[in-house]
Amino acid sequence: MKKTSLIPICNAIFNADTIVLTDGEKLLRLNNVFDLDLIHTLQDLKADIDGSQEVRNRQVWDVQLEDDDTEAIKSAVETAMDTKYQHMGVILLEDSDGYYTPKHTETDNVNASMQVYLPADNCALPNTGSIVYDGIQEYQVPFVPNTGYILSNSNTTVHSSGVPVKPGHVRRSVYFYFKK
């Protein structure tokens, strides 16, 4: 990743719209996360690494970033969340026909998550984005390319994807997960 590509990511994190949930956890809504070069790199990345098909029409690719890039992104999220993380992992996701994630929390080994939506041919509709549940209140993060969210405590905050991906459409994103 070019060092200049880190500037938009860090700016998006530091300038995010922040919602404090009733339990004190945070939902940050991100805009203009990646520069155009990085978007193209991420779109082409799946051709360079092996993917593994999961159930429910989701393809997953593990992404390895340079140590400096990992540290810069992790540090920006740590500052925004006022929390230290021991590890950050990155995966590229591509969801297709009918993919949907019901209400859930992440496993105990994922303490925070950041998902950024990417453009794709036949891009999924906005209502396939993520929903965060806060008691009776719901916060939708529409699937709009180059936007996304950070959720401060993914293993206690209930969230889901929006409506299932329509046949012929693709919901592509990059997912960062953080462990304490």
Side-chain angles (χ1 to χ4, degrees):
M1 181 182 311
K2 296 185 320 186
K3 297 303 171 208
T4 55
S5 295
L6 293 172
I7 294 168
I9 297 168
C10 293
N11 283 343
I13 293 168
F14 295 134
N15 295 314
D17 295 327
T18 302
I19 298 167
V20 178
L21 306 174
T22 55
D23 61 1
E25 298 300 337
K26 295 179 187 175
L27 168 64
L28 278 66
R29 294 185 196 203
L30 307 171
N31 290 298
N32 301 315
V33 181
F34 299 132
D35 64 23
L36 197 53
D37 286 342
L38 186 54
I39 288 173
H40 291 301
T41 299
L42 289 167
Q43 287 175 310
D44 296 338
L45 192 61
K46 67 182 189 170
D48 298 331
I49 52 181
D50 292 330
S52 61
Q53 182 70 40
E54 285 191 5
V55 295
R56 300 183 326 225
N57 297 331
R58 171 171 267 185
Q59 185 80 22
V60 179
W61 294 267
D62 286 318
V63 177
Q64 299 299 316
L65 299 178
E66 298 289 327
D67 288 343
D68 290 347
D69 298 337
T70 298
E71 190 53 42
I73 296 167
K74 186 167 80 67
S75 179
V77 171
E78 287 175 339
T79 300
M81 295 294 148
D82 194 27
T83 301
K84 289 288 185 194
Y85 299 104
Q86 299 300 313
H87 174 75
M88 180 188 88
V90 184
I91 54 177
L92 184 64
L93 303 172
E94 188 170 286
D95 307 328
S96 60
D97 298 3
Y99 181 83
Y100 168 77
T101 302
K103 288 182 180 181
H104 69 286
T105 58
E106 302 300 336
T107 62
D108 288 340
N109 62 346
V110 175
N111 301 109
S113 56
M114 177 170 75
Q115 186 171 15
V116 180
Y117 305 130
L118 298 173
D121 293 336
N122 297 320
C123 203
L125 301 174
N127 58 356
T128 62
S130 300
I131 301 171
V132 175
Y133 302 91
D134 186 24
I136 61 170
Q137 179 71 40
E138 294 180 4
Y139 298 99
Q140 176 129 25
V141 182
F143 182 89
V144 175
N146 210 19
T147 68
Y149 67 90
I150 302 173
L151 191 55
S152 67
N153 200 342
S154 306
N155 59 359
T156 62
T157 303
V158 177
H159 54 286
S160 71
S161 64
V163 301
V165 176
K166 290 186 182 259
H169 288 87
V170 174
R171 183 180 115 137
R172 187 177 293 152
S173 61
V174 61
Y175 182 82
F176 301 78
Y177 57 94
F178 302 86
K179 300 176 185 179
K180 289 185 180 178

